[in-house]
Amino acid sequence: MTVDLDLWPIGNCQVSALVDRAGTIVWGCVPRVDGDPVFSGLLDAPRDEAERKGVWRLELVDQVSAEQRFIRNTPVLLTTLTDAAGGKVEIRSFCPRYERSGRMYRPVAYARTVRPVAGSPRLVVTLTPTRDYGDPEVARTNGTNHIRYLIGPQALRLSTDAPVGHILEGRPFRVERDLHFFLGPDEPFVGNIGREVRSMLDLTTDYWRLWVRGLATPFEWQDAVIRAAITLKLCQHEETGAIVAALTTSIPEAPHSGRNWDYRYCWIRDAYYTVQALNRLGALDVLEKYLGYLRNIVDEMKEGALQPLFSVTGETELVETEAENLAGYRGMGPVRVGNAAYTQVQHDVYGQVILPNIQGFCDKRLLRQSTEADFERLEAVGEVAWAKHDQPDAGLWEFRTRTATHTYSAVMSWAACDRLANAAAMLGLDDRAAHWTDRAQKVRQTIENEAWHEASGRYGASFGTDDVDASLLQLIDMRFLTAEDPRFRATFDAIEARLRRGEHMLRYDAEDDFGLPETAFNFCTFWMIEALQVIGRGNEARELFEQMLDRRTLSGLLSEDMDFETGELWGNFPQTYSLVGIINCAGQLSRPWSDVR
């Protein structure tokens, strides 16, 4: 079977898993998204698919097809397997999530049900978890109705009403009744497993449908927006509020490129765009929890500086190593654990802390309103933004071997000062509003003086250069310029001429630490679509948006990058940036509800 990114995510905001198009779980980490992948098969590369470790495979004897879809408005996956004789089963895969005993029940657990539909299907269950990033030597013990897998210092227990002996020996058996599987904490399963797992399924389905019902979706492309929103929520670690950039590590940005990064961490930048998109849909629960995460990050801010990413628990040291037991996606290693970008200086982070926090001062729907004490803490962040606005950094593209004073970082510093002035005005702090307004004006003047390239008649990607990169398209979104401003039009024209590749957009076209870019960055393509809409090329924007939607996986999702010639997806999956682009573009391009009511 060909390994690709046609994957279906399930999860509960504590753990998640990716299911391939045959219904096999090939990726999933415990006890949280940045933990040890007990399902590491996505990054294994055996010669024979049957030898792949780190998987949970449910397969029929003489299987001829597998069809999949999500249960409507949920991340509950329905897989239908059919054998050569017409035998058929339905598999439902999910991670339990619902309110129980006054709190959200989201265990470190994966649940699956198997229901016979037609004929006499014979099932083979293969469960081969790994430990320590790909080590298949996992000891196991079993009882009458369970199997224990000793994953390092902890254990997972599979509780089931399927025949345990057949599972242990990989022996086929007939499916003549409903079967239930619960892989979770190493503790006895309480109650009748069939009844309890069915109840979990019903309650989990109800939870997600009610959550979706509260979304303010655009009229057009509702299915695409809902699927993107559900998946973005799955990328939040609810315990702390952190939002990870993706659920995977080390899917290369291009074949054999070495651009293999671990994205299972909370980038302040990525999370900012995620909550911005979900907030446009009214998903305040994600925003509120993330603001709590930010308050803790700001409280721990050391020496007046913030690093660009943290673990989901707020850990600061994310030392980058390589997992030797895993060959990598399609054998394209290395598999990296941790991310050295945590050591980088990226000055845009200060604005990305401040901007989502401003809503806390004016949105009466929030359970917790921001206070003057919160404003004072944000001012400390703003002071760093002010101090660093004209200083070099690694930039939002995280160059590892060079720095520059990036225009995007400077504009985000301007936005930090500008929005602090707004917050001060809301609180009636006129002196502080005047202070931050003055700071914002001075930062703006610096940008106008240093980022504007007179000879080219446009802005440069960094001070004193005529380079371009796609981040300059954000000058409108950050309200630094309007779409009608001829300076933006000139900058857009240069970006389009240099970076557009047909229906795709590169981040930049200059060599970086790994050579010239080989794939387009999906989020930048969505930025281009938004820009086309606001400058009056709406028909073209709609056409490109539809083309991007056609590039999604069967699960309705996108990874980070795309081959701009073949359309093949590359990079970590599912990528929050790309899903944000779907939501933002749909909201901007859709006909209003009033047109159809």
Side-chain angles (χ1 to χ4, degrees):
M1 178 178 181
T2 301
V3 176
D4 57 30
L5 293 181
D6 205 352
L7 303 168
W8 303 72
I10 60 174
N12 61 7
C13 304
Q14 174 66 41
V15 292
S16 57
L18 297 176
V19 185
D20 73 9
R21 60 180 183 233
T24 299
I25 294 179
V26 295
W27 183 259
C29 303
V30 297
R32 57 181 192 256
V33 64
D34 58 358
D36 190 13
V38 293
F39 300 119
S40 58
L42 181 65
L43 301 183
D44 190 15
R47 293 183 179 179
D48 186 341
E49 177 63 26
E51 298 301 317
R52 187 179 299 275
K53 302 299 181 182
V55 299
W56 186 357
R57 183 183 298 111
L58 302 176
E59 186 176 24
L60 297 183
V61 175
D62 297 326
Q63 182 174 310
V64 295
S65 69
E67 299 177 355
Q68 290 167 295
R69 65 178 176 86
F70 281 120
I71 302 300
R72 190 175 76 89
N73 292 355
T74 78
V76 177
L77 178 61
L78 173 63
T79 303
T80 302
L81 305 181
T82 304
D83 65 25
K88 186 178 296 188
V89 298
E90 288 183 346
I91 303 167
R92 286 168 173 80
S93 305
F94 67 101
C95 295
R97 177 179 172 82
Y98 51 88
E99 189 170 323
R100 187 178 77 172
S101 302
R103 60 183 182 272
M104 191 60 64
Y105 177 64
R106 40 175 170 75
V108 178
Y110 307 91
R112 312 187 83 174
T113 67
V114 180
R115 183 173 73 89
V117 175
S120 302
R122 301 176 68 222
L123 181 71
V124 178
V125 179
T126 303
L127 180 52
T128 57
T130 58
R131 62 185 180 90
D132 298 331
Y133 284 87
D135 184 350
E137 299 301 321
V138 174
R140 64 187 188 185
T141 63
N142 66 278
T144 305
N145 300 109
H146 75 268
I147 304 172
R148 297 175 66 243
Y149 298 90
L150 307 180
I151 314 292
Q154 58 183 334
L156 290 176
R157 178 186 295 238
L158 175 69
S159 299
T160 182
D161 51 11
V164 168
H166 292 343
I167 297 173
L168 289 169
E169 298 173 16
R171 184 185 310 128
F173 61 93
R174 274 201 180 196
V175 182
E176 298 180 329
R177 57 180 175 82
D178 288 2
L179 303 174
H180 308 85
F181 303 84
F182 184 86
L183 181 66
D186 184 24
E187 55 192 39
F189 191 94
V190 178
N192 179 282
I193 188 167
R195 183 167 55 247
E196 293 299 324
V197 170
R198 287 194 300 272
S199 176
M200 290 179 185
L201 176 59
D202 291 341
L203 291 169
T204 299
T205 301
D206 289 345
Y207 166 82
W208 285 104
R209 285 178 171 169
L210 287 172
W211 185 79
V212 167
R213 192 176 69 170
L215 298 179
T217 60
F219 171 68
E220 295 183 87
W221 306 293
Q222 290 183 56
D223 288 339
V225 169
I226 288 170
R227 183 53 50 197
I230 288 173
T231 309
L232 286 179
K233 184 170 174 63
L234 292 182
C235 289
Q236 182 167 57
H237 184 67
E238 189 169 62
E239 181 180 338
T240 63
I243 300 169
V244 298
L247 299 180
T248 57
T249 178
S250 303
I251 309 299
E253 296 178 14
H256 304 286
S257 64
R259 301 173 189 260
N260 299 18
W261 313 117
D262 191 347
Y263 277 9
R264 300 170 301 154
Y265 305 109
C266 183
W267 269 260
I268 301 301
R269 179 187 313 111
D270 300 53
Y272 156 70
Y273 282 110
T274 298
V275 296
Q276 180 192 57
L278 288 176
N279 192 41
R280 288 168 175 165
L281 299 178
L284 292 182
D285 57 331
V286 176
L287 172 67
E288 286 183 311
K289 290 183 181 301
Y290 179 63
L291 292 183
Y293 180 78
L294 283 183
R295 285 191 291 269
N296 283 309
I297 293 297
V298 170
D299 285 346
E300 297 294 326
M301 188 170 65
K302 297 177 180 178
E303 299 177 359
L306 285 173
Q307 62 190 58
L309 68 150
F310 300 82
S311 79
V312 296
T313 60
E315 181 182 351
T316 56
E317 293 190 10
L318 306 173
V319 177
E320 189 174 292
T321 60
E322 296 182 5
E324 297 180 357
N325 290 323
L326 292 171
Y329 179 73
R330 301 190 192 176
M332 300 178 194
V335 173
R336 292 190 172 97
V337 181
N339 198 304
Y342 83 93
T343 64
Q344 289 186 354
V345 174
Q346 298 177 24
H347 295 324
D348 57 316
V349 67
Y350 304 106
Q352 287 144 1
V353 167
I354 289 172
L355 266 61
N357 268 286
I358 301 306
Q359 187 169 343
F361 297 99
C362 60
D363 194 334
K364 303 299 183 182
R365 297 171 298 170
L366 297 175
L367 295 175
R368 183 192 184 277
Q369 290 286 138
S370 296
T371 66
E372 285 193 32
D374 294 319
F375 178 74
E376 290 175 4
R377 294 297 299 150
L378 285 180
E379 282 196 295
V381 180
E383 290 293 344
V384 185
W386 159 255
K388 303 291 187 182
H389 76 272
D390 58 354
Q391 301 300 305
D393 69 351
L396 79 163
W397 308 129
E398 300 185 340
F399 296 117
R400 292 195 168 201
T401 59
R402 66 179 187 268
T403 62
T405 303
H406 292 94
T407 303
Y408 175 88
S409 296
V411 173
M412 193 58 78
S413 293
W414 166 83
C417 298
D418 179 72
R419 305 312 193 268
L420 281 173
N422 293 345
M426 295 174 203
L427 293 170
L429 304 174
D430 295 341
D431 59 332
R432 303 312 298 163
H435 170 79
W436 287 109
T437 297
D438 179 66
R439 289 271 175 91
Q441 290 172 346
K442 290 177 178 176
V443 176
R444 174 181 280 276
Q445 192 58 55
T446 299
I447 295 169
E448 299 291 9
N449 293 340
E450 302 295 335
W452 181 257
H453 194 265
E454 189 65 35
S456 302
R458 57 173 170 76
Y459 290 96
S462 56
F463 285 11
T465 75
D466 66 347
D467 289 343
V468 295
D469 74 34
S471 68
L472 293 173
L473 297 174
Q474 288 291 282
L475 294 176
I476 294 178
D477 190 69
M478 289 189 281
R479 305 205 299 268
F480 188 80
L481 296 177
T482 65
E484 295 75 26
D485 193 317
R487 296 174 299 172
F488 177 75
R489 296 298 184 96
T491 303
F492 175 81
D493 289 344
I495 293 171
E496 184 175 29
R498 287 269 298 271
L499 303 183
R500 184 169 176 177
R501 300 291 186 273
E503 64 191 68
H504 305 286
M505 179 69 79
L506 303 181
R507 287 172 288 187
Y508 45 83
D509 63 353
E511 285 196 20
D512 60 17
D513 313 329
F514 292 83
L516 288 171
E518 301 175 65
T519 52
F521 198 68
N522 290 327
F523 196 28
C524 295
T525 300
F526 287 119
W527 283 352
M528 176 179 67
I529 293 169
E530 291 181 88
L532 288 170
Q533 172 70 12
V534 299
I535 66 172
R537 293 161 62 180
N539 290 337
E540 185 179 357
R542 289 179 69 90
E543 181 180 353
L544 289 177
F545 184 52
E546 292 281 6
Q547 289 173 350
M548 284 298 290
L549 293 181
D550 288 343
R551 299 294 192 183
R552 293 175 299 158
T553 62
L554 292 175
S555 59
L557 304 174
L558 288 167
S559 63
E560 180 185 41
D561 306 277
M562 191 180 298
D563 188 306
F564 46 79
E565 294 182 352
T566 68
E568 184 175 7
L569 293 176
W570 291 91
N572 283 302
F573 180 90
Q575 176 73 12
T576 54
Y577 267 159
S578 301
L579 305 183
V580 164
I582 292 173
I583 292 172
N584 289 346
C585 286
Q588 187 177 65
L589 301 176
S590 174
R591 288 178 292 153
W593 282 91
S594 58
D595 284 359
V596 294
R597 285 176 176 164

